[in-house]
Amino acid sequence: MGTASSLVSPAGGVGEVIEDTYGGGEACEIPVEVKPKARLLRGSLRRVGASRPGGLIGASFKSTASVQELECVAEYERLKKEYEIFRVSKNNEVASMVKKEAKLDRENKRLRAELQKTYQKILREKESALEAKYQAMERAATFEHDRDKVKRQFKIFRETKENEIQDLLRAKRELEAKLQRLQAQGIHVFDPEESDSDDNCTDVTATGAQSEYWNGGVLGSEPSMGSMMQLQQSFRGPEFAHSSIDVEGPFANINRDDWDAAVASLLQVTPLFSHSLWSSTVRCFIISTDETQTEVDIFIRNYSPKLQRICETMGYFFQVVNFSAENERPLKDVIKWEIEKSSVVILLLHLTLPSCLLEDCEEAFLRNPEEKPRLIYHRKEDGRVSSVSVQQLIEQISSMNKAKMIDHIGGVEEGAYEIYSCVEKIIKQDILGCEMTELEGKDLGNKEESTAPEEEVFGDVLWDAHDEQEQMEAFQQASNSTCELGFEKYFERLNDLVAAPAPIPPLLVSGGPGSGKSLLLSKWIQLQQKHSPNTLILYHFVGRPMSTSSESALIIKRLTLKLMQHSWLVSPLTLDPAKLLEEFPRWLEKLSARHQGSIIIIIDSIDQIQQAEKHMKWLIDPLPVNVRVIVSVNVETCPQAWRLWPTLHLDPLNSKDVKSLISAECNFANVKLTKEQEKKLERHCRSAATCNALYVTLLGKTIACVRNTGNIDETLQQCFQCQDTVSLYRLILRSIQESLQSDKEKGLLREILCVIGVSHNGVSESELMELYPELSSAVLASLVHSLHKMCLLTYGCGLLKFQHLQAWEMVRLEYMEEGENVIYAYRQKLVEYFTMQLSQDRVTWRSADELPWLFQQQGDKQKLHKCLLNLFVSQNLYKRGHFAELLSYWQLVGKDKSSMAAEYFDSLKQYEKSCEGEESMICLADLYETLGRFLKDLGLLSQAVAPLQRSLEIRETALDPDHPRVAQSLHQLAGVYVQWKKFGNAEQLYKQALEISENAYGAEHPRVARELDALATLYQKQNKYEQAEQLRKKSFKIRQKAARRKGSLCGFALLRQRALQLEELTLSKDTPDNARTLNELGVLYYLQNNLETAELFLKRSLEMRERVLGPNHPDCAQSLNNLAALYNEKQHYDKAEELYEKALDIRRRALAPDHPSLAYTVKHLAVLYKKMGKLDKAVPLYELAVEIRQKSFGPKHPSVATALVNLAVLYCQMKKQIEALPLYERALKIYEDSFGPMHPRVGETLKNLAVLSYEGGDFEKAAELYKRAMEIKEAETLLICGKATSRHSSSGDTFSLKSALSPNIFLEHGQR
């Protein structure tokens, strides 16, 4: 038997190593297999025996231990083993827990790191939000700060109109016939030099104003006791007649908006001017006899081209119309139409006057309601006497003073030259309005500098007058209709859109082609302009696809410029199409914050715009609260995304409208229809295609052209076969062809329509005469008259174009069915014509518009590239703002911006080699400057510097280093450095330009003001606000003085003729309309500060109204109120008090207790009482003003708070502080609820409360209130010094950051 110790596994055996708890950490092994029990016991006994001291070695089992002891030992070993196993498992669990703990710790650290990052991100977002908030507040302050600029600009505008109208009225009074007629009526005529003292002064301020800045505005204020401030709403001037316009009246506020509304209202006193006043064509209609035909031929051959060049340089066409031969004379209707369209009519007489010309002479000279220029050339011979008819006609015309006379004795060559000289003067002075520009040039003594580019005077804004002219004519054309078509139900829906609360998406006006969408929108615009003069309406009528009017970039640019024009701001405007699209909503927001009425944007036929959804995406963005958008589309072509907008669908015409429209056309032509014919028409016009407005109009015109009943039946049968507008147009065209006498005329008709159809924007009559030399004036006039009468052609910006898309489509189907070859041939004819113009160095706006577009349509990239490198073509496109169009051409030829810039520069270098002489070098410098500006607008600043520097070098060399054009180059170069953030270089260049301009023009010239403004802007960018403000004040004073000598040419001509018409009107019989006109003339003179003449007209208006309407009529109260305002201006307070009291008495009896006009009179009389020291009389009127405003606006409206403050200030002046305290507290609560706790009005009211508390002895409360007021004031000052925004409420009101003192608060104001 072996010993028990032999059962222990050797050290290298397989087992699990565990940690020995008792043996100091030594390793031991646990057998994997369990040994037999007997052997295990023996081994155990042997170990036990060996371990006992004195034990017997080798004793037998029976002799040494009992069986129980062995069992205990075995149990002990088993328990010990189990314990070891348990201990190992627990240690393993602990190790696992330790690992988990480490993992959780790592996860915790990671989460804490992410949390820290999230916290930092949120913190940064919070800081960004705060920064955005502060920036918004800064923008708000800037908008409010800019308000002062608007007021200053208004003074310039106002004084300009003063000077213009005074000059016009002075010229009219100098006419002897006019003086005799006025004196016969017993009217005293004032000499403007005596009555208008402003003619000889250089700085005009409103009476009582404290400085040249108009500190009134939306928050005017009135002097009050101590440091008290009385808040007033905007002061008002004389009001207009309630019978014609809104109760507020266009003269409710004395600012530029009201002046515009005043002019618009004056234009509506009698019928508007005809198309000839606004036409882009100078039409010279010549009436001549056989005896004077030689002078006519010499004039047309030698002098007509010279006049054409003069007109072309001003952007006008020149057209001579002369029906020489008897057999070529067109119908009387055509001649009458030509006379109506003409700008000037020339009659050439010698000894006799044929009877066939007598009616033409009477139409042109004796029936000339618009007083357009007329000229009579009478060639006399010694010993020969003119016929009786000639003498009688000349005497009649002379007695009416209707024409200029040329009595010529001599040869026909000299006579033709005299006619040319006189016509040239008429065109320049009376038609194109160049007289003032030339006078300026004479003053400077430098003819070259007499005409300043428009963008130089009005900033770098590039304005295309032709685009604006086209829209004006499109609006007039769209509003023409022979009868009303039952649009009242649609007007109500459009009115609901304007009155609906914001936000609201655009309104979609939909309908089929020819359904009357344009007519509806134009009629509604007229109604809005009449009844809501404070509403700003921006409209755009899109013409034919691919025409200029359908180019999205030009539309956005035009609308942006209209916004800038209305806000009276001239600031740099990007021409980059993408940036322009981004900036338009900002300009809209800016103007909406300033404008106190609604802004309505109307775009007709928006679906005709190229890529409308892409370029009109601003429509889907939230609009400012006072902005509404209306767009019209054809049902078939409306983009899918827009169909979700609110839609106003035009229904087909009902039978009543169809009948009235056809009857109106027939009655106009004295054509009678039978009952049977009317029934047939009613049955025919029942489908959607045959009962739209355009189809029915064409149907009526077609029937009206028929004279006898038999032909009417035949015509009706032909019309009934036409089931749509295009087929009806085709029938009309064929009827016109049948009326022509020869195949030659029919061929010319085809040529004219096809050439117009393939052109970009149309073709002018003068261009047609040059394209087709065989085309005589008589034939052209007859064809155009027929096509215009039947709604095929119309005029737009002096060009003949299709009146409707259906007419264009009909011409394509009728004449161009053969395909692209026909279109290419006609386009090639236009290409050759305009290319010939370029070869003759005749680069006009027409060649720049048509030629690149024609090459683009033909796909001829090589010729397009060559055309674009004609520097004068590109210069013309750029200066007219057709930036996007120019870029699209370059993209078509595959050139990017940098390549284009390099090619232009290389082309200029080549052109420079051929330049010789001073004139050509000056022209070269202009081209370099244009290129530099173009590249600057593209953002290629580094490439823009080189051409601008070259322009500067050429001008310094060719002219003189101190020449004004050098200053112009310096100015443009400095502008590049400003954008480049190189302010030091820019400042140096601006200062050099300023010095040159002051030396050349004097210190008070507009160009000096321009440099001062540029420097001020530069200093503002550098945060040098004090220096900037000083320069702006100096610039303002210069512009204020210069504005009296400078005016808008178009407005000058318009107001000139209109003022003469109105003055003629005042001599007629007593009627309410004439009384209204007299009142408006008085208001016009009042706005000029010509108070004496204003008093004359206002008195005559009052007398006429009292005779016609009775002394208690509300219109008499209006005249009394206006006279009172005038006497208050003259400081005749007793007279003003008497008139105000009479006006108040009438209005109290005639008007509702809360009527705005009553509130105006109450307020003005109350302020007058206070000014005169009659405080007891003023109190009940101030209390009544509070009551009226509460009824009108509700008890929590800011207007009520303003009235409460005014009443509280009055109580303070009367030492009734106890009555004033609750009024101030109530006003403070209203202001805080309406505007927030940091609004300037809250601060002003707190300051007044602080003064009240101080005077009451509550010094602690006064200090607390004053501290709050100063905190608001400091915040306001901080914002103004930066750049802050207008607090524009949801109701569309705009509130000023400043409350300026203005003692003149007697002018009426309107509702807030």
Side-chain angles (χ1 to χ4, degrees), residues 623-639:
L623 298 169
V625 291
N626 57 339
V627 176
R628 301 290 182 270
V629 177
I630 302 172
V631 298
S632 72
V633 294
N634 284 332
V635 176
E636 299 84 0
T637 56
C638 177

Side-chain angles (χ1 to χ4, degrees), residues 27 50 131 210 383 800 803 899 951 1019 1247:
E131 185 178 358
Q210 296 184 357
L800 287 170
Q803 190 162 341
S899 303
S951 171
Y1019 286 143
K1247 188 176 179 182

Side-chain angles (χ1 to χ4, degrees), residues 684 695 715-724 727-728 731:
H684 175 65
Y695 183 92
T715 302
L716 286 178
Q717 290 301 321
Q718 295 174 348
C719 291
F720 292 161
Q721 297 175 8
C722 303
Q723 296 301 317
D724 57 26
S727 58
L728 186 56
L731 175 65

Side-chain angles (χ1 to χ4, degrees), residues 1176-1191:
D1176 293 333
K1177 283 188 174 184
V1179 169
L1181 294 179
Y1182 270 111
E1183 291 173 345
L1184 181 58
V1186 174
E1187 183 180 345
I1188 290 174
R1189 292 188 184 185
Q1190 287 184 148
K1191 291 180 180 177

Side-chain angles (χ1 to χ4, degrees), residues 14 287 347 516 591 602 633 652 736 750 792 1033 1115 1119 1258 1260:
V14 180
I287 305 174
L347 173 61
L591 180 59
I602 297 174
V633 294
I736 294 174
R750 173 185 177 131
L792 271 86
K1033 288 181 179 179
D1115 285 357
S1119 294
D1258 192 347
E1260 184 176 349

Side-chain angles (χ1 to χ4, degrees), residues 905 928 932 941-953 973:
F905 199 72
Y928 270 118
L941 301 181
S942 58
Q943 291 173 274
V945 171
L948 288 175
Q949 285 181 336
R950 183 60 186 146
S951 171
L952 176 61
E953 294 169 2
L973 190 57

Side-chain angles (χ1 to χ4, degrees), residues 449-461:
E449 290 299 313
S450 63
T451 306
E454 186 177 351
E455 66 268 19
E456 287 185 33
V457 180
F458 298 103
D460 292 333
V461 176

